[in-house]
Amino acid sequence: MIETGLESTAVADAPELSLVVPIFNEEESVGPLIDRIMEAMSAFPTSWELVLVDDGSSDRTLLTARGYIANPGLDLKIVELQRNFGQTAAMQAGIDTARGRLIATLDGDLQNDPKDIPAMVKALEERELDLLVGWRKNRKDGLVLRKIPSWCANYLIGRITGVKLHDYGCSLKIYRTSVIKQVKLMGEMHRFIPAWVASVVPSSRIGEMEVTHHARQHGTSKYGISRTFRVILDLLSVMFFMRYKARPGHFFGSLGLGTGFLSALILLWLFVEKVVFGEDIGGRPLLILGFMLFLSSVQLITTGILAEMIARTYYRDDAQPNYIVRAVFQKVSPTQ
């Protein structure tokens, strides 16, 4: 029997590990993916669940996945989103749904290998980490369109955020649920999860581990060279949020005070030239520049004040999710 809708009741005993997999138009991959996960986790010593998040697929991905719900050896929950919200929102929906003490995330395109998960869980516990990131050392992707942009992005992210990892883009990660649920993912920020986690725990509790990576077998990649430019823009956002999320007024205020100080120097110099030396300053470009800098200063400072007000509103309304769930599919508990 299958239960749909948000009213579905979780099984009383929470599993030790939740596997979260966002999927979008992966009808050829989703079946083999579930089979591989079941094979890889067959010898896992404690309980686990699989949470699939269908991010508005337009093919038979959801129908194929639902065919596994009745499998007696699988604790499967499928979250169907109302439309395509993007990988970050889908991952957030899966994390919000997960019940395990630990959470593992991986892609649904068969490039991540589920067989790495038990070893990663063991390493996370032994090394007393809050986040363990997969490192695709032998990555099976194109050199120009995927590897080189990824190398550049990883270097920039490490330099700016201070969390130095070889592979930020690998979706195969293991988290402590209590930590990752303190982080709210927005936009396309799933690439920067280690940086967000570093905002709530010391970076020393974030590690990495070499994992297996396979070439894509079905479908086409959702990424292209344009992703590099989006990463750069997102990186600027990450830098701003990490440093000024709770105090955006300091960022804009610093710029405003800087331009205001420069404006004051220019206008003071022109005042001295006019009053002391009798120079004609009415048609000088420096006068226009001084007034423009003054107006910019006022605008930046007022923007900072508005940003502070918006930030306070954001913190009061931070529980609003960035996705909409259409239905949840899972087995009905025998007690229901």
Side-chain angles (χ1 to χ4, degrees), residues 102-123:
L102 303 176
I103 294 177
T105 59
L106 65 157
D107 280 334
D109 55 11
L110 300 177
Q111 291 194 270
N112 296 138
D113 197 330
K115 291 182 179 180
D116 289 319
I117 293 176
M120 292 184 71
V121 170
K122 182 179 179 181

Side-chain angles (χ1 to χ4, degrees), residues 129-149:
L129 300 174
D130 291 323
L131 167 60
L132 184 61
V133 182
W135 173 18
R136 300 166 294 181
K137 190 173 183 179
N138 297 312
R139 186 173 177 179
K140 308 299 182 182
D141 281 323
L143 178 64
V144 176
L145 295 181
R146 300 298 297 274
K147 288 186 179 181
I148 293 179

Side-chain angles (χ1 to χ4, degrees), residues 41-101:
M41 302 299 293
S42 60
F44 193 67
T46 55
S47 59
W48 60 278
E49 68 172 351
L50 174 59
V51 179
L52 296 179
V53 183
D54 180 63
D55 189 23
S57 296
S58 57
D59 58 6
R60 295 179 59 84
T61 297
L62 179 60
L63 292 176
T64 302
R66 286 177 60 182
Y68 284 82
I69 289 181
N71 193 309
L74 180 63
D75 182 2
L76 173 63
K77 180 179 290 185
I78 303 173
V79 180
E80 180 191 6
L81 300 187
Q82 188 162 294
R83 61 172 177 82
N84 179 242
F85 288 91
Q87 186 174 354
T88 302
M91 191 172 292
Q92 182 69 67
I95 291 171
D96 291 342
T97 304
R99 300 175 297 123
R101 185 179 67 87

Side-chain angles (χ1 to χ4, degrees), residues 24-315:
F24 174 64
N25 289 345
E26 300 284 2
E27 64 175 313
E28 294 178 307
S29 301
V30 67
L33 171 69
I34 297 175
D35 291 334
R36 290 187 185 183
I37 288 176
M38 293 179 64
E39 178 185 359
M41 302 299 293
S42 60
F44 193 67
T46 55
S47 59
W48 60 278
E49 68 172 351
L50 174 59
V51 179
L52 296 179
V53 183
D54 180 63
D55 189 23
S57 296
S58 57
D59 58 6
R60 295 179 59 84
T61 297
L62 179 60
L63 292 176
T64 302
R66 286 177 60 182
Y68 284 82
I69 289 181
N71 193 309
L74 180 63
D75 182 2
L76 173 63
K77 180 179 290 185
I78 303 173
V79 180
E80 180 191 6
L81 300 187
Q82 188 162 294
R83 61 172 177 82
N84 179 242
F85 288 91
Q87 186 174 354
T88 302
M91 191 172 292
Q92 182 69 67
I95 291 171
D96 291 342
T97 304
R99 300 175 297 123
R101 185 179 67 87
L102 303 176
I103 294 177
T105 59
L106 65 157
D107 280 334
D109 55 11
L110 300 177
Q111 291 194 270
N112 296 138
D113 197 330
K115 291 182 179 180
D116 289 319
I117 293 176
M120 292 184 71
V121 170
K122 182 179 179 181
L124 179 102
E125 299 284 26
E126 290 179 348
R127 296 162 61 181
E128 298 184 352
L129 300 174
D130 291 323
L131 167 60
L132 184 61
V133 182
W135 173 18
R136 300 166 294 181
K137 190 173 183 179
N138 297 312
R139 186 173 177 179
K140 308 299 182 182
D141 281 323
L143 178 64
V144 176
L145 295 181
R146 300 298 297 274
K147 288 186 179 181
I148 293 179
S150 179
W151 292 336
C152 295
N154 289 326
Y155 175 77
L156 288 174
I157 296 170
R159 290 282 294 181
I160 290 177
T161 65
V163 183
K164 299 186 183 300
L165 299 171
H166 288 90
D167 192 357
Y168 264 82
C170 182
S171 295
L172 184 53
K173 299 179 176 72
I174 310 291
Y175 314 83
R176 293 193 190 274
T177 303
S178 59
V179 172
I180 190 59
K181 289 201 174 185
Q182 297 179 46
V183 178
K184 182 176 181 180
L185 306 179
M186 300 174 293
E188 295 187 12
M189 298 301 183
H190 61 277
R191 306 184 190 99
F192 306 101
I193 287 178
W196 295 122
V197 172
S199 67
V200 296
V201 299
S203 58
S204 60
R205 296 188 65 88
I206 300 174
E208 62 181 348
M209 174 179 171
E210 290 186 28
V211 296
T212 305
H213 190 247
H214 300 287
R216 190 177 181 93
Q217 301 177 25
H218 305 287
T220 57
S221 173
K222 311 299 189 298
Y223 301 103
I225 192 66
S226 61
R227 173 190 176 192
T228 304
F229 301 104
R230 296 200 301 271
V231 168
I232 294 174
L233 294 175
D234 288 341
L235 184 56
L236 294 175
S237 299
V238 169
M239 182 176 65
F240 176 83
F241 271 90
M242 288 187 70
R243 298 181 182 179
Y244 301 104
K245 178 181 178 181
R247 46 188 178 89
H250 289 200
F251 174 77
F252 293 104
S254 298
L255 293 178
L257 291 176
T259 54
F261 179 72
L262 186 59
S263 169
L265 289 179
I266 292 174
L267 295 178
L268 179 61
W269 170 250
L270 292 176
F271 177 79
V272 171
E273 283 198 331
K274 176 67 176 178
V275 175
V276 177
F277 301 104
E279 298 283 344
D280 183 15
I281 63 172
R284 297 183 61 174
L286 196 60
L287 179 64
I288 299 175
L289 176 62
F291 274 109
M292 290 297 295
L293 288 174
F294 172 75
L295 294 176
S296 298
S297 174
V298 173
Q299 187 173 25
L300 285 168
I301 292 173
T302 54
T303 299
I305 295 172
L306 290 174
E308 288 280 351
M309 296 172 64
I310 293 172
R312 295 175 188 274
T313 303
Y314 166 80
Y315 279 113

